[in-house]
Amino acid sequence: MIASIIRMHYSQSPCSQEAVRIRQARFLEGSMPRFFIPLVDAAHQEEAYHGMATFVGGTPLPTKERIYSITFRHDGEVWTATVGERMQGNAAATSAGGRERGEQDPVRWSTDTVIAIYAGSTVPYLIAHDGAGRNRWNMPVWVRDVLNVTTFD
């Protein structure tokens, strides 16, 4: 139910470019935003966070440990999932023989927007997303090969 409410909000209210710009500026300044669930009003943030955790089978984290962004390896690609943004990946360019080349990695984007990131029980982390890119990612995304974790302020 929480997932359908969040999907409805996403379909009616696309992420503000200004909000993305502010988050990017805070990241560059070294400060992360305070905890939020995208497009959920302030009065329902905790309810949405705990409801989505139940939905995906994740463990809600204490406020000071909640995850803003996670970088991980999946099928040889390095992906970053940041709350409120689409997932972004880099695939190593390979030659016809399968060897990695030293060229720039092609950037890949998912149309899935990250809603929240939780601790998992059978895997280290679970990423809850809006399911917009129905072909690429399962719900939730299971993260095993973690490269970096950034928490909210």
Side-chain angles (χ1 to χ4, degrees):
M1 174 143 164
I2 298 292
S4 63
I5 291 169
I6 291 172
R7 278 195 197 117
M8 179 184 71
H9 284 294
Y10 271 110
S11 65
Q12 295 174 357
S13 305
C15 287
S16 157
Q17 291 297 321
E18 180 67 10
V20 170
R21 186 191 64 71
I22 290 168
R23 283 195 303 273
Q24 289 171 341
R26 285 182 180 160
F27 180 78
L28 293 173
E29 292 170 4
S31 67
M32 297 299 114
R34 289 188 303 182
F35 171 75
F36 71 99
I37 297 289
L39 302 173
V40 173
D41 61 87
H44 296 96
Q45 293 284 309
E46 289 298 315
E47 177 186 355
Y49 180 73
H50 289 278
M52 185 59 70
T54 300
F55 179 74
V56 301
T59 302
L61 296 167
T63 304
K64 297 282 186 191
E65 298 175 23
R66 292 183 182 169
I67 300 167
Y68 174 61
S69 182
I70 188 168
T71 302
F72 60 100
R73 193 177 320 278
H74 177 78
D75 290 341
E77 299 175 352
V78 175
W79 285 86
T80 299
T82 301
V83 173
E85 299 178 16
R86 294 184 304 157
M87 290 193 283
Q88 177 183 353
N90 290 309
T94 57
S95 66
R99 292 186 182 170
E100 286 191 20
R101 295 184 298 199
E103 299 173 12
Q104 184 177 1
D105 294 342
V107 175
R108 299 175 190 255
W109 291 92
S110 169
T111 55
D112 299 304
T113 300
V114 177
I115 296 169
I117 304 168
Y118 299 96
S121 56
T122 58
V123 293
Y125 297 98
L126 300 170
I127 300 170
H129 57 85
D130 65 358
R134 302 186 195 289
N135 299 327
R136 172 81 182 169
W137 300 103
N138 290 329
M139 174 63 154
V141 176
W142 289 15
V143 178
R144 289 186 175 95
D145 190 0
V146 180
L147 303 174
N148 187 49
V149 173
T150 304
T151 58
F152 285 98
D153 268 350

